[in-house]
Amino acid sequence: MPKYNPWRPDFEAPGPHVKVENKDGINFEDPDDRDPDEIGDDDDDFSHYRYYTSNKILGKLYRAIDERKIFEDIKRRAAHQGVTSRSTVIDDVWAYIQRTCKLIQWEHHWEWAKDIRDM
Amino acid sequence: MISLDPRLEGDALVLRPSMIKFEGSTSTDIEICDAPYNPLPMYLNRQFIKILEDMGVKDKFFLNLQAQEVERLRMITDSPLNASIFLRRQTIGTPIHFPWLINKLAMMNLDFRKDGFLRDVLEMAILLELRLLKHKTRIPVEKGWHLHGLMDETGFLEEGQIYCSVTIEGKSQAIVGKDLIVTRAPALHPGDVQLADGVMPPPGSPLLKLSNCVCFSQRGVRDLPSMLSGGDLDGDRYYIMWDNNARPQRVFAPADYPRQKPDELDRQVKTADMTDFFLKFMETDQLGRIAVLHRVLADQEEDGTLNPKYITLAEMHSTAVDFSKTGIPVSVHSCSSILPMLNLNF
């Protein structure tokens, strides 16, 4: 089965665990000179692609986002609000519900509600 | 596709011959699948960005737009209101009223971020958006809409003009200006992005009654929708963008693919026809591969999407898109002479 061009721009990489090679000096039309055993089968696996740093805008946009760093930032901002080891939100909500439902007879629905939940 | 024409008197529904798909029905029911109550937001994708780059739009425009979106994502955890608006827009947890819950908790003076689970849900939703932004380059365009296309029945619009109007929270606004960017997905051919002038119809014009749509001129040699990878006006949506920072330096001639004549069947359709069609479709469906190949190869040539080889790929893509309507599969073998170095093996 003939192979087509194995080179792909970095922004097509399926995830962060991909080795990106520098494009300089690479001729895209070079025949593949790697060990054929390394290339693997021609299935839909990404493994036989090689990735290069694209200098076009799509490559620049791709590299402009450091998802790890941005996500750490976002987490840090959220954590700023102060998280205690044990959340009290659910306790407060429960207290609120009990207060609000004080005048409502609901205990006799208990079994029925359980059935619905376990359905 | 039905639109409002206030010039009609009484209760009238006017159909074009092309809108009549099945003759002989006596039913007077009309079913509406969808109506543009709100204008849809516009997102740039890799295909548009590649073509806009080849049209000479500066890198800075895209980088700024993307940075703006990253900043927006950063701010979402800053307040319960931001978080709840974001989740509602992404329709995350709406069946269990999650966005409402966050607001309700805030009203009770409870910070949802103090609950590990609630915070994780929000952070996961943000991470998902961030990954879409990076790995699909799906960038929202504030000054852009994604709207249904209509024909200007009044004949007011001249060639190269459009009328585009949206209604947001009860307020109508028209998009007026020179050289608005008009495009449609999929866009692989460099001519799939065109420019048009947004104009305002005169007072009293029936066009002013239309909203959340874009009207195209009926004048000129060729209609604009057909230039955008074979668009038409039976429910297609078009992208309109008016950001002044996106200034294309040049515009390319639209693609002009020969019309594909559909396979005609001069007898009743049998079950075997359907199964055959389905099998043929599975055998020849190469849409995704063509699109990926186009993206990869357009990145490797100086002239990008303008390279004649990729114009051929764009045409193959167009044929593949129309397969379900025409029954004509992409002929990869006829293209292998034009694309020898690719050694395409589908």
Side-chain angles (χ1 to χ4, degrees), chain A residues 2 4-5 7-8 11-12 52 54 56-57 60-62 65 67 73 77 82-83 87 92, chain B residues 46 53 59 66 74 78 110 113-115 119 123 131 134-135 292 295 299-301 342 345:
Chain A
Y4 59 82
N5 186 332
W7 286 103
R8 293 192 150 202
F11 56 82
E12 294 288 333
Y52 63 88
S54 164
K56 302 288 170 59
I57 182 65
K60 291 178 193 169
L61 286 167
Y62 177 79
I65 295 183
E67 47 184 337
D73 279 357
R77 280 170 94 126
V83 193
S87 161
D92 289 331
Chain B
R46 290 191 168 164
E53 176 184 40
D59 285 0
Q66 180 174 270
R74 273 184 211 272
D78 278 3
L110 291 172
R113 287 165 293 194
K114 286 190 177 155
D115 186 272
R119 207 184 56 227
E123 283 174 2
R131 290 191 63 94
K134 183 175 171 81
H135 296 278
V292 171
R295 230 168 34 227
D299 188 76
Q300 301 179 358
E301 297 283 341
L342 303 177
N345 192 293

Side-chain angles (χ1 to χ4, degrees), chain B residues 2 8 15 24 50-51 69 80 114 178 219 227 258 272 293 301 316:
Chain B
I2 310 174
L8 296 173
L15 299 179
K50 185 66 212 155
I51 294 175
E69 174 63 4
K114 286 190 177 155
K178 277 197 85 63
R219 299 173 193 281
M227 296 185 204
L293 197 61
E301 297 283 341
M316 284 165 66

Side-chain angles (χ1 to χ4, degrees), chain B residues 279-290 320 323 329-330:
Chain B
L279 286 177
K280 196 169 151 199
F281 176 72
M282 297 216 297
E283 269 169 20
T284 58
D285 179 30
Q286 302 290 355
L287 203 54
R289 290 179 96 162
I290 297 172
F323 172 78
V330 193

Side-chain angles (χ1 to χ4, degrees), chain B residues 229-276:
Chain B
S229 61
D232 53 29
L233 301 176
D234 63 359
D236 285 9
R237 282 200 175 94
Y238 295 84
Y239 291 94
I240 316 290
M241 190 170 122
W242 68 93
D243 195 320
N244 276 330
N245 296 317
R247 278 268 151 250
Q249 307 297 308
R250 48 193 173 269
V251 180
F252 302 108
D256 196 5
Y257 306 131
R259 188 173 264 284
Q260 305 271 14
K261 218 173 126 14
D263 269 348
E264 286 293 341
L265 200 65
D266 50 4
R267 57 178 169 81
Q268 193 120 40
V269 178
K270 294 202 194 93
T271 317
D273 294 320
M274 295 188 222
T275 49
D276 285 351

Side-chain angles (χ1 to χ4, degrees), chain B residues 32-40 148 166-170 211-212 237:
Chain B
I32 309 241
C33 307
D34 190 16
Y37 300 109
N38 290 302
L40 294 185
H148 282 296
V166 294
T167 305
I168 299 152
E169 285 162 7
S211 190
N212 297 339
R237 282 200 175 94

Side-chain angles (χ1 to χ4, degrees), chain B residues 75-197:
Chain B
M75 310 255 277
I76 285 168
T77 53
D78 278 3
S79 82
L81 188 65
N82 283 0
S84 126
I85 290 172
F86 168 75
L87 289 168
R88 188 162 290 136
R89 203 167 287 163
Q90 303 294 325
T91 55
I92 290 171
T94 44
I96 56 159
H97 306 287
F98 185 47
W100 169 87
L101 177 71
I102 286 177
N103 272 340
K104 181 78 185 172
L105 290 176
M107 275 188 271
M108 291 160 60
N109 234 347
L110 291 172
D111 193 333
F112 78 98
R113 287 165 293 194
K114 286 190 177 155
D115 186 272
F117 175 71
L118 298 184
R119 207 184 56 227
D120 283 352
V121 172
L122 179 68
E123 283 174 2
M124 195 48 75
I126 296 174
L127 185 62
L128 213 66
E129 275 300 288
L130 191 63
R131 290 191 63 94
L132 264 182
L133 191 63
K134 183 175 171 81
H135 296 278
K136 296 266 178 259
T137 326
R138 185 173 175 272
I139 309 177
V141 181
E142 211 180 310
K143 294 175 178 170
W145 295 117
H146 190 199
L147 302 167
H148 282 296
L150 289 179
M151 205 253 281
D152 164 27
E153 298 286 345
T154 67
F156 160 74
L157 295 173
E158 298 293 337
E159 186 173 9
Q161 292 183 335
I162 57 170
Y163 168 62
C164 179
S165 138
V166 294
T167 305
I168 299 152
E169 285 162 7
K171 280 206 188 85
S172 282
Q173 45 181 272
I175 291 121
V176 180
K178 277 197 85 63
D179 293 341
L180 311 181
I181 294 173
V182 186
T183 182
R184 177 182 161 271
L188 280 85
H189 188 282
D192 285 343
V193 177
Q194 295 289 324
L195 302 181
D197 295 337

